[in-house]
Amino acid sequence: MALYRAATGRRTYAAVAADVGVTGETLRSWVRQADEQAGRARGGEAVEGLDEELARLRAELGRLRKAEAEWQLEREILRRAGQYFAREMRA
């Protein structure tokens, strides 16, 4: 993994893996596993950051679902009030 990282993108997984005596896919999986263990995800974003983002989005979804339920209740009240006043106007 250190050889691949030292190449800083100038060499492929397969080229570095051939020097070491493993397959390119094996080296790729080792690098990916080391990144995950070090707390880095693809793109360099921290895994903890992704977990925090997921928790934030789930909380936001819960808040929006609660607001939607309140809006549905409000719409139903207004619909019934409109029907009531329409009947009163006809009578």
Side-chain angles (χ1 to χ4, degrees), residues 8-33:
T8 61
R10 293 186 306 261
R11 298 183 68 199
T12 64
Y13 284 111
V16 175
D19 291 345
V20 179
V22 296
T23 66
E25 190 55 38
T26 300
L27 179 61
R28 184 186 335 262
S29 68
W30 289 348
V31 170
R32 187 177 305 136
Q33 186 177 28

Side-chain angles (χ1 to χ4, degrees), residues 60-78:
E60 178 72 9
L61 180 60
R63 188 186 64 75
L64 291 173
R65 283 185 176 161
K66 182 179 177 184
E68 180 183 9
E70 291 171 0
W71 293 332
Q72 286 177 350
L73 177 61
E74 185 176 320
R75 281 192 302 263
E76 180 63 22
I77 291 170
L78 291 172

